[in-house]
Amino acid sequence: MTTLATIDYSLGEEFVTPRIYPQLIKYMGSKAKIINFVSGSIQSVYNDGIVCDLFSGAASLSGALGATYPILSNDIQNYSSLIASVYLKPIKLIDIESLIQDATANHKKAKSKITIDIDYEGFSSLEDFNEIEVRNRTLINQSFRHHYHLFVKNYSGTWWSGEQCLWIDAIKQAIDKRVKSGEFKQAEYALTMSILLHAMAYSSQGTGHYAQYRDAKTESSMLDINVYRQKTLQNIFENKLSQIIDWSKENVVDLNHSITTLDYKDCLKKLNGGTVYADPPYAFVHYSRFYHAMETLCLYDYPELQIKGGSIVKGRYREKRHQSPFCVIQRSKLTP
């Protein structure tokens, strides 16, 4: 029988001690700050079998309890499955130096194809800075012949600079090469992709999500945005990758965990006993609006961008993205 767990804030100190785990992305509604309460609630009803995190999001439950229970991490968004894998699936050796060398070569070759100056250097005024921003954004109109140009085309001058976007594409290309050669299996792919999501999050000039990027309207906002424009995404990636590999070797245990990307109803239909933790979206705005860029990186499918009033919307949203029923007010038909 499947048990539906609810959080009991009266449990005090009687709870499973959560594992200390590294958070990889900035995520609205993360369970990290209440993980002790969640752990205690699960312990109070757990009676053998799996623990199913039905709406796993940033996979905090997998991070905290992946060494305690066999976890089924489920979320309809693909990026969630990659992050969950970091906490649940053991990895083999990853040659960081070789990966970065390949990414560096990819970046150099791709940048040689850019025909305009996109570097954030030499500006002395707000007007100069915004001219650079505009030049970066015009790359959406450039034609590219090589496959790995999704981010430099669609997102330059938005949350990231064109330079940072070149690196996102270059690292993705290096990761895919290792998947195709068989060097990376699913666990290594998920880990390196999750670290790329981390590097994106911590070099972004936004506020932690990707609903809309900030404009430089004042000198103060210009200086703040430029702090992020100057961040070296590849260094953030390399440093975090090294840290997470070390953490993984010491902390990830194989408890027959599983990871799915199903609608919650389909996930529940497949369950055969266990404890379900359900923390669905609770806001009227869809998570796919805030984290569409992460999903696009994972799918790397060159989506159509949403058009409104004849122009691409500022958020550069995917035209087709998941719309959760939990974020929509359900109005029943009333009989007169």
Side-chain angles (χ1 to χ4, degrees):
M1 179 178 180
T2 299
T3 304
L4 295 176
T6 56
I7 301 176
D8 183 351
Y9 289 94
S10 67
L11 288 169
E13 306 215 349
E14 295 182 4
F15 52 77
V16 172
T17 301
R19 173 175 63 180
I20 297 175
Y21 68 97
Q23 295 182 56
L24 296 178
I25 60 172
K26 302 174 182 180
Y27 202 69
M28 179 178 67
S30 170
K31 295 181 279 288
K33 292 184 178 180
I34 61 168
I35 200 64
N36 286 350
F37 292 105
V38 176
S39 299
S41 178
I42 290 172
Q43 183 186 35
S44 72
V45 298
Y46 181 74
N47 186 24
D48 204 14
I50 66 167
V51 172
C52 173
D53 189 1
L54 196 58
F55 304 90
S56 59
S60 296
L61 205 67
S62 295
L65 300 180
T68 306
Y69 303 113
I71 303 290
L72 166 56
S73 181
N74 178 75
D75 197 287
I76 202 165
Q77 297 288 310
N78 287 273
Y79 59 78
S80 178
S81 68
L82 299 182
I83 297 169
S85 180
V86 174
Y87 302 137
L88 301 177
K89 299 295 184 179
I91 60 167
K92 296 180 180 179
L93 180 65
I94 294 176
D95 187 339
I96 300 176
E97 183 178 357
S98 173
L99 181 66
I100 296 300
Q101 285 177 350
D102 269 3
T104 301
N106 297 336
H107 167 269
K108 182 178 180 180
K109 185 174 181 180
K111 189 166 186 178
S112 70
K113 308 296 183 183
I114 303 297
T115 58
I116 59 176
D117 182 9
I118 59 172
D119 293 331
Y120 285 76
E121 298 176 351
F123 63 89
S124 57
S125 67
L126 180 61
E127 182 180 11
D128 291 343
F129 182 83
N130 278 316
E131 284 182 4
I132 300 172
E133 294 269 88
V134 170
R135 285 203 300 272
N136 274 253
R137 290 172 198 155
T138 60
L139 289 177
I140 198 168
N141 301 316
Q142 182 169 322
S143 296
F144 296 85
R145 293 185 178 181
H146 59 283
H147 176 67
Y148 289 91
H149 66 265
L150 194 162
F151 270 73
V152 74
K153 180 178 177 66
N154 284 1
Y155 299 111
S156 291
T158 60
W159 297 276
W160 306 279
S161 68
E163 172 71 9
Q164 291 165 336
C165 287
L166 282 165
W167 276 105
I168 294 171
D169 290 324
I171 294 171
K172 176 68 166 73
Q173 183 178 359
I175 293 170
D176 285 356
K177 175 184 175 182
R178 282 153 179 76
V179 173
K180 292 174 183 176
S181 70
E183 179 182 344
F184 279 7
K185 303 302 182 184
Q186 181 59 30
E188 293 76 38
Y189 171 77
L191 187 142
T192 49
M193 285 292 290
S194 295
I195 303 306
L196 185 50
L197 290 172
H198 170 86
M200 286 167 52
Y202 286 88
S203 59
S204 166
Q205 57 96 306
T207 57
H209 60 67
Y210 308 115
Q212 286 192 0
Y213 56 85
R214 292 183 293 167
D215 293 313
K217 295 181 179 180
T218 64
E219 282 204 15
S220 176
S221 61
M222 174 195 75
L223 292 173
D224 188 50
I225 290 170
N226 190 51
V227 167
Y228 292 93
R229 294 299 192 221
Q230 300 302 324
K231 287 185 179 292
T232 51
L233 182 143
Q234 65 276 25
N235 288 351
I236 297 173
F237 174 85
E238 183 175 4
N239 292 337
K240 193 66 174 182
L241 180 56
S242 179
Q243 293 172 18
I244 298 301
I245 288 173
D246 290 341
W247 179 86
S248 178
K249 290 177 181 177
E250 295 293 328
N251 293 279
V252 177
V253 294
D254 188 357
L255 297 180
N256 199 27
H257 304 297
S258 55
I259 302 169
T260 56
T261 53
L262 299 172
D263 179 87
Y264 76 98
K265 293 181 182 178
D266 294 328
C267 183
L268 288 173
K269 289 176 184 177
K270 290 179 176 290
L271 285 184
N272 184 25
T275 302
V276 175
Y277 176 79
D279 181 15
Y282 49 81
F284 69 92
V285 288
H286 295 280
Y287 273 50
S288 60
R289 177 172 180 254
F290 289 101
Y291 304 109
H292 63 96
M294 298 196 307
E295 190 72 354
T296 293
L297 175 71
C298 297
L299 298 174
Y300 214 80
D301 56 354
Y302 294 87
E304 294 293 325
L305 300 182
Q306 185 179 343
I307 303 291
K308 191 172 182 179
S311 300
I312 295 173
V313 298
K314 181 180 179 182
R316 306 281 175 98
Y317 307 121
R318 301 172 60 87
E319 181 60 40
K320 295 181 180 179
R321 53 188 174 88
H322 177 63
Q323 307 291 297
S324 172
F326 292 97
C327 298
V328 178
I329 297 175
Q330 302 294 330
R331 294 181 175 85
S332 60
K333 294 183 179 179
L334 301 177
T335 304

